[in-house]
Structure formats: C-alpha cells, structure tokens
Amino acid sequence: MTPPQQSHDPHGHSHSHGPAAPVSQHLRKVIAAVLIPFAAAVVVGLAVLWPGGAPSHERTGVGFDRQTEQGRVVQLEQIDCKDVNAAQVPSTGDTSTPQGRGAQQAETGRCKKATIEVTTGKDKGRTFLEVVQPDAPRQFHVKQGVVVAYAPDAPRDLQYSVTDVNRKFPMALLAGIFALAVVVVGRMRGVMALVALSVSFAVLTLFILPAILQGSNPLIVAVIGASAIMLIALYMCHGLTARTSVAVLGTLISLLLIGLLGSLFIGWASLSGNTDDNTGLIHGLYPEIDMSGLLLAGVIIGSLGVLDDVTVTQTSAVWELRQADPSMGPRALYRAAIRIGRDHIASVVNTLVLAYAGAALPLLLLFSIAQSSMGTVANSELVAEEIVRTLVGSIGLVASVPVTTALAALVVSADRSAPGSPAPALPSPGPESAGPGNAAQGTAGQGAARPVPAATPGPRSAEPETVSSSSTQNTSVRGLGGSGRRRKK
C-alpha cells in the first residue's frame, strides 16, 4: 500500500515558510468569542480611568522636581582650588581616607571656573559662574551643553546652578541607529515594530503614569495599560491572525498569574515600595499613592515585554510544526514544541535575572564593600524588592511556555479545515487514484520505469537515487523496478 503523499512544488517543499495559513471560520468565531469581550473590557477601562493629564503641583526644588533650563559653557579658567575653597577645613596631610584626599586636593589642586550662559527661558543670555573641583565626576569643556536648575527664591547670584550635561544629541543619534537597524533587518515588520513601540510609550506616558498620579489604583491601571499595550503591539507586529490570538491568550494568562503571585508575596514580605529618594519624593508629593501597588504595577509592566517574546515564539513553533507534519496530533505537537520551549525558558530566565542584577549593580557593590552576608543582603528591602520582582516575573515566564504551547496545539489541531491535512491512504498507485490533489502521485505510479532506469548489478546499484523529489516516491519506484527485473529474468 502506498503511504499518504503530499503534492509538492517544483522546489520539493511541501509547505510554506511564510505567514500562517488562515484557519476555519468556526475556529475564528471561537477565538473571537474569547478575545472580543476582553478587548471591550480594556477599552472600557481606558475610557473610565483616562486621567486627562498629570495633576499640577507646586515645585519643591528637590531632585527631579525642579525647574530647569538649557545652558552652555562659554569659558573655562584654571584657578587654584585654595582660592575658592578657603572656607573648608584645612588638610591634615592624611590621604588614607577619601575625606583626607579631598581636603588635600581642595588646597593644592587646580580647579576650573566655568562661565555658563543660559540659552532658554526668561533669562536667556544671562551668565553665571560654576566652580568645578578636580575630583568632580563631571568635567566641562567649552561649548558643552548643560542643564541648569533655576531657584527663583534664592539670591540672584545663586539662582542658577548646573545639574547635568545636555546629552540629547548622542541619545537621539543612538535612537536613529537603532531604528535604522530595525527597519533594515526587519523591513515592513520592523517598521510596524517601531510603530508599536511608539504606541506603547504613548499608553505609558498618557495613561498609566497620569492615572496613577490622579490616585487610581496602580494595579488596576497597570493591568489595563499592559493589556492595551499587549493587544496593540502583538496584532500590529504579527497581524490579526489566530496564531497571534493564541499568543495574546497565553500572555494574558501569564500576566494574571504574575499579578496574583506578586500581590501575594509583596504583601507577605511587607514590601512598602518606598525604598529610595525618588520613591520617597513621590510619596511626599502624592501621599495617596499606594507605593506597594506601584511596585506590583512595575512588576507586571516589566514582565510584559519578555512575555510577548516567549508566547509569540512558542505559538509560531507549534504552527510551523503543524505545517511541516500535518498528521501530528495535539499531544505530539505539544511534546515537540515544549522541547523548544525548554531551551527558551533557560535563556529567558537567565536574561531576566541578569537584567535586574545589572540594574542593581551599584547597590550590590555597596553590600560587597560592607562585607555583608548573603542573608543580610537578601533580607534588606532594597534587594528583597528586586528578588521578588525577578522571581515572580520568572515564574510567569516559565508558566507561559506550557500554557501557550498547549493552547496553540489545541487550537491548530481543532481546526476543521487545517491546511495541508493528510489525505486518506490510497489502495494502490494507478490511474484511478489520481484525483485533483494527487495528480503528481498518479503520474509517478504509472510511469515509474520511465524516469528511473532499472539498476544493473554491480557497484552502481548501491548509489542513492536522486531523480525523485520525494522519499516515498523513491520507495515505490524502486519496488516496481525490482519486480520488473525479476519478471525479465
């Protein structure tokens, strides 16, 4: 009996590596019945919680909450540090401590007196002096752009001070290189990815942040905002297909798991979310904000980007496996795709842990200098926040692989008109078995002796046959040829 065969293109491939083939109308209705109410709930949530802008407040002049203008360095002059540091404590000559080294440089070092010109605002063109110590981490050069802070209540000579350098040009150049690389490699898909990235930042800056400042629950705002980002980014980048819808469902289930685990362990570990100067300033300006909820919102939003990558990859793997072998059932598809997912889990979890460790590297370095034990370091709230953030996000990522793989395997196997489904086994190769979809097989069965000459005894009989484009056709052709030679003898 001839095994089931597939029609093939001139290049010998049985399936396409392009976009996923459309699924049946029935399956599209089932997916739409699940996702349309979810998308409608997200739209309603956006409409109800839309803040309309961040609330105004009186500036405190602390940290980022200062009025700033742009400036530039117009002149630099070398001066003796002793002339400008006369009010400091005299040096004792002991350079074994940072304070001793700083005192000695303040007396014997060479300082710089920078003349700064304000280039924006109502005092445009005004100049002021800034002294730069020799051990200062930020040194100036002429024509360098700087950011200056303005304190209207201070004496006139002290109203302006340099707070940072202007790095807009190198940042903009780097962003342009990034966008160019994405477009050159990704082409139209890369363009859509950049558009989706812009939309994600718009949702973050126009909805999530102002809504939290207006006093809305940070967890609810984060869930609605992350869901909106997920729907827009995934469908914009990967198309309105069943494959993308399965990835959306897998991402949604994983986000719910991350939210539940995060809420449980943040409360259980008594994490307040108020651990540094920035969070302290936020709590001081807006005491009604739930800082622990803000921490949980950060966990959810931070995990979303990696979740998208995992779920889309797993869904694509299941679809490609199905197209490569349409006879695979849901269990076989799951087993094959989960092997791909295990490799993805190992790399993604390691990436997430290292990303958080890299962000907290200065803090970890301080603990190392203090020679604190690992238990003491892990128990501090600063590090415990990062541990909970990392582990909760990693659990969600790990869970997304089997969940998304199972969903994709069930969906693609339940399709009533799955493209490339295996044809029923044919009783025998012959003219009567060559239907509209099996013309190639029927032709091959009738004329098998014509394209493949009979093999003669000797070394040539061991050579592989390369004329046929299908291994099943080779088997049937060799069998017919062999029986013909036996009748001739």
Side-chain angles (χ1 to χ4, degrees):
M1 183 180 293
T2 305
Q5 298 176 354
Q6 304 173 19
S7 59
H8 55 277
D9 60 14
H11 299 284
H13 293 282
S14 59
H15 64 278
S16 170
H17 293 279
V23 297
S24 64
Q25 185 72 21
H26 169 76
L27 192 55
R28 287 201 295 268
K29 289 181 179 179
V30 172
I31 296 174
V34 177
L35 287 180
I36 288 180
F38 168 66
V42 172
V43 173
V44 171
L46 288 172
V48 171
L49 297 178
W50 192 264
S56 59
H57 70 279
E58 186 178 352
R59 293 186 179 272
T60 61
V62 179
F64 291 103
D65 193 34
R66 292 181 289 183
Q67 180 179 344
T68 59
E69 302 291 348
Q70 299 298 317
R72 64 177 176 179
V73 181
V74 295
Q75 184 178 355
L76 280 176
E77 180 183 353
Q78 292 281 350
I79 59 175
D80 290 331
C81 291
K82 188 176 182 179
D83 297 337
V84 294
N85 297 324
Q88 291 191 3
V89 178
S91 172
T92 60
D94 182 13
T95 60
S96 61
T97 62
Q99 294 84 358
R101 289 191 294 269
Q104 185 176 23
Q105 287 181 350
E107 287 189 358
T108 61
R110 297 287 293 176
C111 294
K112 294 179 182 178
K113 185 170 64 174
T115 302
I116 311 297
E117 180 185 3
V118 180
T119 57
T120 61
K122 62 178 184 178
D123 291 329
K124 181 179 179 180
R126 177 177 169 181
T127 61
F128 64 95
L129 298 179
E130 185 87 8
V131 176
V132 184
Q133 301 292 336
D135 58 343
R138 184 171 53 238
Q139 300 292 324
F140 298 143
H141 59 81
V142 179
K143 296 184 180 180
Q144 181 179 16
V146 293
V147 178
V148 298
Y150 175 61
D153 297 333
R156 178 174 174 82
D157 294 341
L158 302 177
Q159 285 182 336
Y160 284 96
S161 61
V162 177
T163 61
D164 207 344
V165 298
N166 188 341
R167 49 182 69 92
K168 291 182 179 180
F169 178 74
M171 299 293 287
L173 179 61
L174 182 60
I177 295 174
F178 163 74
L180 180 62
V182 170
V183 173
V184 168
V185 177
R187 299 187 180 179
M188 193 60 196
R189 189 67 62 86
V191 173
M192 297 308 296
L194 292 177
V195 174
L197 180 63
S198 301
V199 173
S200 299
F201 272 106
V203 173
L204 181 64
T205 57
L206 298 179
F207 171 71
I208 296 179
L209 299 181
I212 292 176
L213 291 178
Q214 292 281 10
S216 300
N217 187 292
L219 178 58
I220 297 177
V221 171
V223 169
I224 294 175
S227 299
I229 291 173
M230 174 186 64
L231 291 172
I232 295 172
L234 286 180
Y235 283 119
M236 187 174 291
C237 292
H238 305 284
L240 194 64
T241 63
R243 183 164 68 181
T244 307
S245 299
V246 172
V248 168
L249 288 175
T251 305
L252 176 62
I253 294 173
S254 302
L255 281 178
L256 292 176
L257 177 61
I258 290 174
L260 291 176
L261 287 176
S263 179
L264 172 63
F265 283 95
I266 287 176
W268 195 359
S270 300
L271 298 177
S272 65
N274 188 3
T275 54
D276 56 19
D277 294 339
N278 293 327
T279 54
L281 178 59
I282 293 173
H283 185 65
L285 293 174
Y286 300 96
E288 67 277 5
I289 294 180
D290 181 10
M291 299 305 294
S292 60
L294 186 63
L295 173 62
L296 180 56
V299 173
I300 293 175
I301 296 174
S303 303
L304 178 61
V306 189
L307 271 178
D308 289 350
D309 172 51
V310 173
T311 54
V312 168
T313 300
Q314 285 304 114
T315 308
S316 299
V318 173
W319 247 260
E320 291 299 325
L321 287 169
R322 174 71 170 180
Q323 287 189 335
D325 187 358
S327 65
M328 295 179 70
R331 182 170 298 182
L333 282 172
Y334 178 83
R335 289 176 177 174
I338 202 67
R339 288 194 291 268
I340 302 173
R342 291 190 185 105
D343 291 336
H344 206 182
I345 286 173
S347 61
V348 166
V349 169
N350 194 43
T351 300
L352 192 63
V353 171
L354 291 179
Y356 283 124
L361 195 59
L363 177 63
L364 297 178
L365 188 59
L366 287 177
F367 281 109
S368 178
I369 292 172
Q371 297 182 353
S372 301
S373 64
M374 187 60 65
T376 302
V377 172
N379 189 65
S380 65
E381 186 170 1
L382 275 173
V383 178
E385 278 190 5
E386 300 303 328
I387 292 176
V388 170
R389 193 196 312 268
T390 302
L391 296 183
V392 168
S394 298
I395 291 172
L397 290 176
V398 171
S400 70
V401 172
V403 168
T404 307
T405 304
L407 284 174
L410 290 174
V411 168
V412 77
S413 300
D415 190 9
R416 292 181 177 178
S417 59
S421 56
L426 302 179
S428 61
E432 67 275 12
S433 64
N438 298 319
Q441 290 92 324
T443 305
Q446 291 178 0
R450 194 164 45 208
V452 182
T456 58
R460 291 175 56 85
S461 61
E463 295 177 1
E465 298 196 20
T466 59
V467 176
S468 176
S469 62
S470 172
S471 59
T472 56
Q473 290 174 340
N474 291 341
T475 304
S476 61
V477 168
R478 286 196 296 271
L480 291 173
S483 61
R485 290 194 298 272
R486 284 195 296 271
R487 286 197 300 271
K488 183 177 181 180
K489 289 181 180 179

